Structure formats: structure tokens, C-alpha cells
Amino acid sequence: QVQLVESGGGLVQAGGSLRLSCAASGSIFTINNMGWYRQAPGKQRELVARITSGGTTNYADSVKGRFTISRDNPKKTVFLQMNSLKSEDTAVYYCNADGISTIAGFYGSAFWGQGTQVTVSS
């Protein structure tokens, strides 16, 4: 019954910004980890940023200083603020969540969003 719904992707010029959102729906009490992955054409899916329920974050080296991950626990939503975007940031971005406690039980395995396209033009 858990579903991750993403929004905020689109087309932006290099140097611009986008803010991605991912809201978890369902009868959810808590979520342990939430994060963002991306997959560029011809590349493996890679971790972009991750945040724990306590607010601990980690980032891929390629986005450090440019991207910021945050979460709103009451709203069960994770955000990715993407600044100073580069053409190499172009990818499909996927929301991820694990350790989800719901009214129906606990889910230790990860859930994924549908993916949202981010295209950075030069």
C-alpha cells in the first residue's frame, strides 16, 4: 500500500535550479531512510543523496555543495534542492525509501518512485 509520488522534474538551463519532491502515501507511521538516485543514459543507477529519519545526510561527490536533501517527517516527504545544475546532471531521478512502518506492518525493503526526468541544457 506504500506509494512514492514524485514531482518537480523538468527542463532547466545549466546553472539553474530545480526542487524535487517525493511524498510517501499510505497509512505510514514512520520512514527510516529516504533518498534520491539517478540514472543517466548509458550509466548505472547511482545514489545522489540520502537522509535518515534523524537528519543525517550523505551525498555523491559529484553533487556535494550543489544539492541539498531534506525531509518533512509529518508530511512523509523528501526533497532534493538542486542548484548550479550541470548538463551531466541530466538523468531520471528516482525517489527511494526504506524501513517503513505502516498500519499494516513494517517494510524493511526499499520502495521506489516512478522516476522523474531532469534535463539540463547547455
Side-chain angles (χ1 to χ4, degrees):
Q1 64 176 359
V2 175
Q3 186 174 222
L4 304 180
V5 181
E6 303 175 8
S7 62
L11 175 65
V12 65
Q13 288 187 293
S17 298
L18 285 173
R19 180 177 166 90
L20 306 183
S21 300
C22 173
S25 63
S27 300
I28 297 171
F29 296 125
T30 58
I31 302 171
N32 190 359
N33 306 304
M34 303 187 79
W36 293 92
Y37 288 70
R38 69 186 181 188
Q39 188 165 20
K43 302 290 186 180
Q44 296 283 340
R45 186 175 299 189
E46 64 173 351
L47 174 69
V48 177
R50 185 174 180 268
I51 185 168
T52 71
S53 60
T56 301
T57 61
N58 59 75
Y59 297 90
D61 288 341
S62 59
V63 308
K64 286 180 180 176
R66 300 188 297 119
F67 291 8
T68 302
I69 189 170
S70 61
R71 62 191 288 173
D72 184 334
N73 287 330
K75 290 186 169 66
K76 307 297 187 291
T77 301
V78 63
F79 307 94
L80 186 67
Q81 180 65 46
M82 309 164 67
N83 298 326
S84 301
L85 283 161
K86 306 173 180 179
S87 60
E88 50 262 47
D89 295 317
T90 296
V92 178
Y93 284 70
Y94 297 91
C95 179
N96 173 275
D98 65 34
I100 303 173
S101 177
T102 77
I103 195 169
F106 178 77
Y107 297 88
S109 57
F111 287 81
W112 293 88
Q114 77 282 4
T116 184
Q117 178 71 48
V118 172
T119 302
V120 184
S121 64
S122 58

